[in-house]
């Protein structure tokens, strides 16, 4: 039986450009066990963990003349040591050298003639730690047929995919309906593909046209009113080179901000996710002011925030588990607590309209294994499928487990996502909370975000500002 | 005044594919001085050395709808630390780790939106040495407007290009005439470009058609009879990944072979270049036999060998200084000395028909500065311009200076070229002699030349075989 790519997966391939590679990354830092850990052992671990996951040994084979979507075929020349690579940092092997290395690795598209992933084993880190960097194409990780590589590596009890094979596919999400409307039988597929290739834009844009054509209304797009995002210095043509900066913060700081600023009857309405978004808002405000750009009371930055909409203990991490919230971050508001409450109010509205049962963004934390990388991948898929014109940037925040995890005896110390940039979106922010910390991965275009390090500093400052701002449970 | 790309330079851009990047590389290993040498100092050196060479700060700007060749424009956002990069090898930092690193670096195309070069400062080498790796696009190094980056870095007395600006351009070579015939006014340029893009093949192929059209006969192509090269395991579709292997041999070994095997009246007819080609021939024979492939008496591998045709002390390193020799390497011949004499005879014939005054391939060694990188670049340009179907592989051998050279107090210990692969050419061999050694850089497709390390061993074995074969000055 032919194993054909879904419409959405195929679309990710068609719209990919040399300056906008559509892969998701992760940066993980490990403390090796006393007996050590090396590249050969890592190759063996990866080989074991991908054994039950066919996508990691399959490549894309296009159909001649693009008469149909490409198919997945086994890579008969599969070459594990091509995919799993050994590298090292220059001295002193600090965060700066690691960030430079990540920026270079992530800027490069994956080889379309091979399985669409790479993993780097990085030596030469300060303090004897080592890093693992993964790159996985968005066309691969749909949650049903493949989970993210970092998810596979970290969790020793990962459910092998073949145990799930017999389960029915989940109900299609809005996203999948849009995608099917785009590239399915509703309209001439060749014409759509031509449109996509001619630069009509991203998948969401094409989807919107298709939807208009057929008269359907998609609730996700309706929610935001389908009006373009405000103009922003974040949005400029994106080149091939990147900058990458990692920021580590304490989860307790966000908890304290929440408990201090949300006394009274609103205490349950504000989530940790809201506090994190308020921190990013304060950071963007500070960054723009430092750049000397005008910030007025009405200034906004619209963020697309993928949110999980399945509850509790389910383990179906698929596209259907995610929905897009569009939040106008109030960077013009000068009171930190007001920023938080405006964000909290907007998020609640969005989530309630997206889901019959309101769920909070932390609801997936109880899923077995180290799910954040797969959730980041699903978030990136959603971000790429939505029209870029509807938001200024994508922020994915995925709660992770709060106890230490290991891979073959090596303790996972830090974990940072690397979210892909979109067309004319010079910045993407990914966050993962893990073992008491919140880890920001800032991915930026090398030119547009030449001062990405400044933005990182602004994140720390904005969190400190929230922590010291006067408490007010009645601020709205 | 618009600074437009020449027809040949533009052709290099048009025919470039993602699996066949058209840049030339070099790998240089240095012993730092007692006071040390670091990345910051290297950045300063490169910044100084490229200051007088506009191409290194210019990018390509295509003309809309390709109505004319692209133009060179100054990169107003020129970003030196993007181009000059700091890297490190994993432990133990031996040749193997360096080779893996070079293979990965060279597999990646240069960013078309920036000046077309990169340089890597590589730390973590065994014995405290450091490596510098350069990548320069073939469209840049035409000898008149730009010399190779490695050439600039090594020679402290490099003649600044502005001193040459007033000199007349050299007489156009056959190569340039072909290129002009292809992309000039002889036939519709748009049609040719369309043909090139439709996969007609490489520049030479297009050139041949153009030449046929206009009834001109180009002597280079006439010499080889324009018949396709024999089939060979070296020729298969090339993927995006590479292998790279370095081999160091003693120049004295080749000298001894020459003096031992060429007694009598033929002593002046055999060059060191011939002995090197005979070594490669023996290595290819041994490699094919080890692979279990049939080698019969009539088996040949046709090499395209760029040879310099200017004499003595001139310093005009341009396309016009190079011509292509097509040599059938007699891998079926089982007597090493016979292989040498057949090659020597064929080379002499080719050079004499190419040049009114027979010159030997060593004639450029006396040029000031470290010219080999630029000569390799010119050789690569010639190799790419010639039809790939006319040869099985390209071998460039450039004689370098026989005394130690330095950059800012760091001694150049070893220097290896990295020659680009051609369409369906899985192997390219570059050689540089320097300070008593001959350095082979073997660049291979990762799949087709999966056993490239074996070929490296065969080179050493073939040289040993030539050294121990019975001497015979009268073998033909």
């Amino acid at each position: 039986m032919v194993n054909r790519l879904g419409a959405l997966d195929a679309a990710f391939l068609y719209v990919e450009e040399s300056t906008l590679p559509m892969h998701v990354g992760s940066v993980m830092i490990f403390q090796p066990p006393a007996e050590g850990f090396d590249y050969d052992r890592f190759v063996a671990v990866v080989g074991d963990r991908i054994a039950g996951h066919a996508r990691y040994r399959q490549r894309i084979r296009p159909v001649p003349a693009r008469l149909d979507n490409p198919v997945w075929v086994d890579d008969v020349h599969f070459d594990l040591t091509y995919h799993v690579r050994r590298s090292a940092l220059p001295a002193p092997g600090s965060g700066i050298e690691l960030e430079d290395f990540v920026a270079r690795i992530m800027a490069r598209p994956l080889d379309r003639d091979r399985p669409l992933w790479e993993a780097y084993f990085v030596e030469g880190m300060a303090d004897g730690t080592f890093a693992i960097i993964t790159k996985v194409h968005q066309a691969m990780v749909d949650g049903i047929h493949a989970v993210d590589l970092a998810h596979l590596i970290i969790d020793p009890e990962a459910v092998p995919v073949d145990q799930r094979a017999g389960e029915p596919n989940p109900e299609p999400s809005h996203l999948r309906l849009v995608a099917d409307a785009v590239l399915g039988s509703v309209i001439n597929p060749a014409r759509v593909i031509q449109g996509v290739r001619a630069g009509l834009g991203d998948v969401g844009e094409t989807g919107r046209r298709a939807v208009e054509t057929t008269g359907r209304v998609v609730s996700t797009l309706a929610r935001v009113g389908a009006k373009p995002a405000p103009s922003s210095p974040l949005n400029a043509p994106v080149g091939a080179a990147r900058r990458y900066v990692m920021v580590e913060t304490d989860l307790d700081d966000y908890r304290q901000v929440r408990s201090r600023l949300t006394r009274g009857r609103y205490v349950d309405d504000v989530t940790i996710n809201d506090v994190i978004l308020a921190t990013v808002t304060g950071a963007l405000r500070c960054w723009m002011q430092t750049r000397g750009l005008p910030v007025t009371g009405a200034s906004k930055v619209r963020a697309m925030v993928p949110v999980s909409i399945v509850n509790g203990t389910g383990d179906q991490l698929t596209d259907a588990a995610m929905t897009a919230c569009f939040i106008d971050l109030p960077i013009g508001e000068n009171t930190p607590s007001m920023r938080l409450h405006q964000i909290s109010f907007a998020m609640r509205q969005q989530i309630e309209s997206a889901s019959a049962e309101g769920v909070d963004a932390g609801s997936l934390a109880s899923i077995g294994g180290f799910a954040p990388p797969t959730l980041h991948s699903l978030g990136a898929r959603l971000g790429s499928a939505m029209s870029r014109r509807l938001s200024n940037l994508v922020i994915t925040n995925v709660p992770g487990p709060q106890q230490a995890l290991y891979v073959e005896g090596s303790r996972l110390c830090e974990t940072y996502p690397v979210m892909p940039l979109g067309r004319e979106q010079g910045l993407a922010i990914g966050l993962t909370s893990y073992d008491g910390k919140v880890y920001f991965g800032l991915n930026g275009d090398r030119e547009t975000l030449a001062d990405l390090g400044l933005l990182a500093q602004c994140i720390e400052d904005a969190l400190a500002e929230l922590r010291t701002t006067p408490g007010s449970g009645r601020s709205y």
Side-chain angles (χ1 to χ4, degrees), chain A:
Chain A
M1 198 194 79
V2 171
N3 194 349
R4 198 174 300 283
L5 268 76
L8 183 59
D9 300 330
F12 289 139
L13 294 177
Y14 292 143
V15 301
E16 189 164 47
E17 298 169 28
S18 65
T19 54
L20 293 170
M22 299 192 91
H23 50 248
V24 185
S26 71
V27 182
M28 298 175 287
I29 299 173
F30 293 89
Q31 182 67 50
E35 71 269 23
F37 191 89
D38 62 13
Y39 169 74
D40 291 337
R41 203 158 153 206
F42 180 61
V43 172
V45 168
V46 175
D48 281 356
R49 301 296 174 88
I50 65 169
H53 297 259
R55 282 286 180 277
Y56 286 89
R57 298 178 72 97
Q58 288 177 327
R59 61 182 181 82
I60 301 277
R61 183 162 146 193
V63 172
R66 292 193 168 171
L67 292 175
D68 203 340
N69 291 341
V71 292
W72 292 106
V73 295
D74 289 340
D75 182 5
V76 292
H77 302 293
F78 181 70
D79 178 356
L80 184 58
T81 57
Y82 168 84
H83 294 277
V84 185
R85 299 166 168 211
R86 193 166 168 232
S87 297
L89 300 183
S94 74
I96 290 169
E97 286 81 27
L98 181 59
E99 288 166 349
D100 279 356
F101 185 77
V102 173
R104 272 186 230 154
I105 295 296
M106 291 300 162
R108 294 171 208 143
L110 292 158
D111 185 351
R112 285 279 182 98
D113 294 329
R114 299 174 186 270
L116 293 169
W117 63 278
E118 292 170 3
Y120 292 80
F121 183 84
V122 184
E123 302 172 20
M125 299 270 294
D127 309 326
T129 59
F130 65 90
I132 289 173
I133 301 170
T134 65
K135 274 170 71 176
V136 180
H137 199 279
Q138 293 185 39
M140 263 185 66
V141 181
D142 58 9
I144 304 173
H145 299 99
V147 294
D148 192 89
L149 181 63
H151 189 167
L152 290 178
I153 293 169
I154 298 295
D155 178 30
E157 287 92 39
V159 182
V161 89
D162 53 9
Q163 293 187 20
R164 291 200 210 161
E167 293 178 14
N169 286 350
E171 187 76 6
S173 64
H174 295 312
L175 174 60
R176 191 163 288 280
L177 289 176
V178 173
D180 287 345
V182 178
L183 294 170
S185 58
V186 180
I187 49 172
N188 182 329
R191 219 184 68 222
V192 173
I193 291 164
Q194 197 176 23
V196 170
R197 298 186 70 206
L200 262 191
D202 41 15
V203 188
E205 175 66 17
T206 315
R208 200 154 58 94
R209 285 167 187 247
V211 165
E212 282 163 8
T213 304
T214 58
R216 281 205 280 165
V217 176
V218 175
S219 69
T220 309
L221 301 176
R223 284 209 309 281
V224 71
K227 60 178 184 216
S231 69
S232 163
L234 298 172
N235 303 119
V238 171
R242 296 286 178 270
R243 291 182 197 273
Y244 183 72
V245 178
M246 308 179 298
V247 182
E248 176 187 313
T249 57
D250 281 322
L251 182 56
D252 268 345
D253 287 347
Y254 301 95
R255 289 190 180 126
Q256 282 173 24
V257 168
R258 179 168 75 157
S259 66
R260 253 190 355 99
L261 296 189
T262 58
R263 281 190 297 267
R265 61 189 178 115
Y266 302 109
V267 68
D268 294 331
D269 290 342
V270 176
T271 66
I272 295 293
N273 186 50
D274 296 337
V275 182
I276 287 170
L277 289 177
T279 305
V280 173
T281 306
L284 289 170
R285 173 185 167 86
C286 149
W287 170 74
M288 283 184 62
Q289 286 173 331
T290 312
R291 270 198 173 192
L293 296 167
V295 177
T296 69
S299 296
K300 310 267 186 205
V301 166
R302 190 179 299 155
M304 199 287 253
V305 183
V307 169
S308 56
I309 52 166
V310 297
N311 243 331
T313 54
D315 66 350
Q316 281 192 329
L317 302 180
T318 69
D319 289 330
M322 308 291 283
T323 193
C325 291
F326 289 87
I327 302 295
D328 284 336
L329 304 178
I331 61 167
E333 170 59 53
N334 58 15
T335 311
S337 59
M338 278 301 290
R339 282 179 226 139
L340 171 60
H341 292 293
Q342 286 177 19
I343 288 167
S344 175
F345 181 75
M347 279 299 291
R348 217 162 51 245
Q349 269 200 320
Q350 291 263 318
I351 290 172
E352 280 167 9
S353 71
S355 162
E357 21 171 355
V359 293
D360 68 63
S363 62
L364 278 175
S366 57
I367 285 181
F370 187 60
T374 299
L375 285 164
H376 276 294
S377 291
L378 295 176
R381 286 166 68 89
L382 186 57
S384 299
M386 288 292 154
S387 174
R388 297 295 177 165
R389 294 185 200 151
L390 297 177
S391 69
N392 299 115
L393 86 164
V394 174
I395 304 176
T396 60
N397 171 24
V398 177
Q402 293 307 314
Q403 74 284 359
L405 296 176
Y406 294 81
V407 52
E408 301 270 313
S410 296
R411 186 168 68 81
L412 177 63
C413 306
E414 304 171 33
T415 172
Y416 302 89
V418 191
M419 300 303 289
L421 301 188
R423 181 193 288 271
E424 305 220 343
Q425 295 203 336
L427 175 67
I429 300 182
L431 299 108
T432 300
S433 60
Y434 162 65
D435 200 15
K437 303 280 186 185
V438 175
Y439 297 102
F440 289 71
L442 310 179
N443 191 19
D445 176 66
R446 187 175 164 99
E447 265 64 51
T448 306
L449 271 295
D451 54 356
L452 191 60
L454 171 64
L455 182 60
Q457 182 59 51
C458 290
I459 286 175
E460 293 175 9
D461 293 349
L463 179 55
E465 186 189 27
L466 276 167
R467 290 178 61 206
T468 54
T469 199
S472 150
R474 287 168 301 276
S475 61
Y476 70 104

